[in-house]
Amino acid sequence: MTLTADEVRARLAQLREHDLPTHGGRTLAYVYDSGLAEVDAIAKEAVAAYAGTNGLDPSVFPSVATMERDVVGFAARVLAAPEGYAGTVTSGGTESCLLAVLAARDAQPDVGRPQLVAPTTVHAAFHKAAHLFGLDLVLIDVDPSTFRADPDAMAAALTDRTVLVVASAPSYAHGVVDPVGPIAAAAAERGIRCHVDACIGGWVLPFLADEPSRGVAADRPAWDFSVPGVTSISADLHKYGYVPKGASILLHRSMALRHSQFWATADWPGYGVVNSTLQSTKSAGPLAAAWAVIHLLGDIGYAALARQAREGTLALAQEVDGIPGLRVLALPDSTLLAVGTDDSCDPYTVCDELLERGWFAQPQLPFRGGPASLHLTISAATTSKIPEFVAALRDSVTAAQSTGPVGVDPGLGSLLGTLDPATFDDATLSGLLAAAGLDSAAGGGLALPRRMAPIHALLAACPPALRSTLLTAVVERL
Ligand SMILES: Cc1ncc(COP(=O)(O)O)c(C=O)c1O
């Protein structure tokens, strides 16, 4: 069925009605809103102007190379990269992390099965990298009270097969910066690369350097290229760079370190292929938007936005700790909060209640003995709404306490412990999903219930492998 252009517009607007709002500061995960209409407008114009430009070949689209050099140059200065740095604009955080791992692996082809050493709090992108590129992922427990990586335990885990060590600035789930100094030093001593995953902090933390201490910021560990031994850093433009989705940076300390990130071939009958990223043909739109937003905001604009988001985070942390039933799990080093509950309620129900009140917070499942929590990403646009959010959070907790923590049927709970996801057939999966309250919609897809707490409670009761199987089954059926 064809539609007129106006009908297409109307239909697209209608489709978006059920999505979370990307702007307005009420969605506290997934999206980043500067609150500045001019930033969004220039970014949209740039995406539109460059949507069809192919970033595959900067020799015929030289503006792509120019914009990439400019954007990488800005990031290099902000991240204290030394002379001789080399960087790439990628499609997102996961791609930047994947490429850091790939470059490290391919720089050392003779180690046998390569190893990646990381704290348990490292982003899932590194699990994916290990899976895709055939590395053993060695996860090291973090300090159970600060949630920061344990540098001694990480140093002890390094072997002749370790090609990369990773630390976060900050970690997504708890919002804390790992002690990068000793981790990078231990890696450097053995000639091992050290990547700092600053995907979510890379466009915030550098602009908070002169933040008054307040007892929180004072001991934030150093993490950028000023730390000896740090060989690469990822920093997402499409997060706190306030650029539309599809842009991140991977920066290496030197051109030599980046070299193994490239893939090239002329061994086929078509054009010569040289890829600095996992993609080949790629839109130059996100890069152009990054170029535009960076030039519009500059250091002063980013510093103002970073301070704004940070103010909001600290104010919110204080308020959360004053709400009976809630506690902030870790002192926030950046602009993220992990909020736990006591036994009077559970984080999943609090998230459902918040959604009823027009706010999105992201549920985080319990992990390695650590508690379940709700995750809050605070962007600049949220800060002016903190009092409104706190009121909604208070009401949500009261409502969640009135029903008590959501449970899993004891029979189902014990069954989950015995299931082996490796041997699942489709019927077993469908049965499990139905038992969890996920039924087929009229059109054949899966209908998600309005309240997700029972589903999260069910996932929480599953071993991690089963969680992955169930999550995949749900998304496949959507
Ligand atoms: C620390 C960290 N690393 C990597 C990623 C992955 O980024 P993306 O979702 O852009 O692929 C994220 C995303 O939140 C992150 O917070």
Side-chain angles (χ1 to χ4, degrees):
M1 177 194 48
T2 54
L3 302 173
T4 66
D6 277 342
E7 285 166 343
V8 168
R9 281 183 203 105
R11 184 80 184 101
L12 284 175
Q14 199 186 7
L15 282 168
R16 290 192 72 196
E17 273 169 17
H18 301 290
D19 290 350
L20 287 173
T22 57
H23 289 75
R26 298 176 78 95
T27 305
L28 286 99
Y30 298 124
V31 299
Y32 303 79
D33 182 8
S34 68
L36 302 173
E38 205 185 5
V39 168
D40 296 332
I42 200 86
K44 270 189 196 164
E45 279 174 42
V47 168
Y50 273 88
T53 301
N54 197 337
L56 164 64
D57 189 350
S59 73
V60 293
F61 298 106
S63 65
V64 168
T66 305
M67 289 189 297
E68 188 163 5
R69 261 198 312 274
D70 282 356
V71 171
V72 168
F74 187 91
R77 186 172 51 73
V78 164
L79 299 173
E83 285 276 304
Y85 67 80
T88 307
V89 174
T90 74
S91 66
T94 298
E95 191 179 28
S96 291
C97 297
L98 291 177
L99 288 167
V101 176
L102 186 67
R105 185 199 71 175
D106 285 359
Q108 278 190 277
D110 301 323
V111 295
R113 173 126 175 133
Q115 252 175 6
L116 171 57
V117 173
T120 50
T121 48
V122 79
H123 193 274
F126 292 92
H127 294 241
K128 183 172 183 175
H131 167 71
L132 289 177
F133 303 144
L135 287 86
D136 287 335
L137 178 61
V138 181
L139 291 175
I140 308 298
D141 280 327
V142 299
D143 181 305
S145 57
T146 64
F147 296 97
R148 284 184 177 159
D150 175 346
D152 293 334
M154 286 183 69
L158 305 180
T159 73
D160 293 344
R161 292 195 290 123
T162 312
V163 296
L164 188 68
V165 177
V166 182
S168 310
S171 57
Y172 181 82
H174 303 102
V176 298
V177 176
D178 288 327
V180 173
I183 294 170
E189 205 171 290
R190 297 186 66 128
I192 297 168
R193 294 180 183 218
C194 174
H195 178 78
V196 176
D197 178 7
C199 280
I200 203 157
W203 291 89
V204 175
L205 297 176
F207 301 103
L208 297 178
D210 57 356
E211 179 183 43
S213 103
R214 288 172 208 250
V216 176
D219 75 336
R220 183 193 296 134
W223 58 273
D224 64 14
F225 282 110
S226 63
V227 178
V230 170
T231 52
S232 58
I233 297 179
S234 47
D236 291 357
L237 291 151
H238 66 197
K239 293 192 170 77
Y240 285 98
Y242 295 110
V243 167
K245 297 299 180 216
S248 168
I249 278 198
L250 173 61
L251 200 59
H252 296 272
R253 187 180 278 276
S254 71
M255 184 96 111
L257 286 163
R258 187 182 60 171
H259 187 70
S260 47
Q261 179 190 314
F262 278 79
W263 187 82
T265 187
D267 195 13
W268 73 302
Y271 54 91
V273 178
V274 185
N275 293 155
S276 60
T277 64
L278 297 173
Q279 293 178 299
S280 206
T281 280
K282 56 188 176 189
S283 168
L287 167 64
W291 189 94
V293 172
I294 279 176
H295 281 84
L296 192 72
L297 285 174
D299 293 81
I300 293 174
Y302 276 120
L305 290 169
R307 277 198 294 267
Q308 198 179 326
R310 177 72 176 157
E311 291 288 325
T313 306
L314 294 177
L316 182 53
Q318 209 166 16
E319 292 283 358
V320 165
D321 270 337
I323 298 178
L326 294 187
R327 76 190 164 97
V328 173
L329 293 186
L331 287 178
D333 281 332
S334 187
T335 51
L336 315 175
L337 288 179
V339 180
T341 61
D342 64 16
D343 292 343
S344 64
C345 60
D346 68 88
Y348 322 126
T349 306
V350 176
C351 288
D352 282 347
E353 292 293 338
L354 278 169
L355 202 55
E356 298 278 344
R357 292 162 176 79
W359 297 88
F360 180 81
Q362 192 179 47
Q364 299 190 130
L365 298 175
F367 173 72
R368 288 202 180 214
S373 57
L374 59 94
H375 168 100
L376 304 172
T377 290
I378 294 93
S379 57
T382 299
T383 294
S384 63
K385 303 203 158 59
I386 296 295
E388 219 184 309
F389 176 67
V390 170
L393 186 58
R394 253 180 226 287
D395 290 350
S396 298
V397 171
T398 305
Q401 285 169 330
S402 74
T403 53
V406 64
V408 176
D409 174 80
L412 184 57
S414 45
L415 173 71
L416 293 173
T418 65
L419 292 173
D420 176 7
T423 60
F424 266 17
D425 58 18
D426 215 50
T428 318
L429 260 181
S430 298
L432 253 184
L433 295 178
L438 292 164
D439 296 319
S440 291
L446 202 66
L448 289 181
R450 202 168 50 87
R451 293 183 73 90
M452 291 292 286
I455 313 285
H456 288 116
L458 180 88
L459 287 168
C462 295
L466 184 52
R467 288 180 187 174
S468 310
T469 306
L470 286 177
L471 286 168
T472 306
V474 169
V475 175
E476 268 184 323
R477 284 159 176 75
L478 283 179

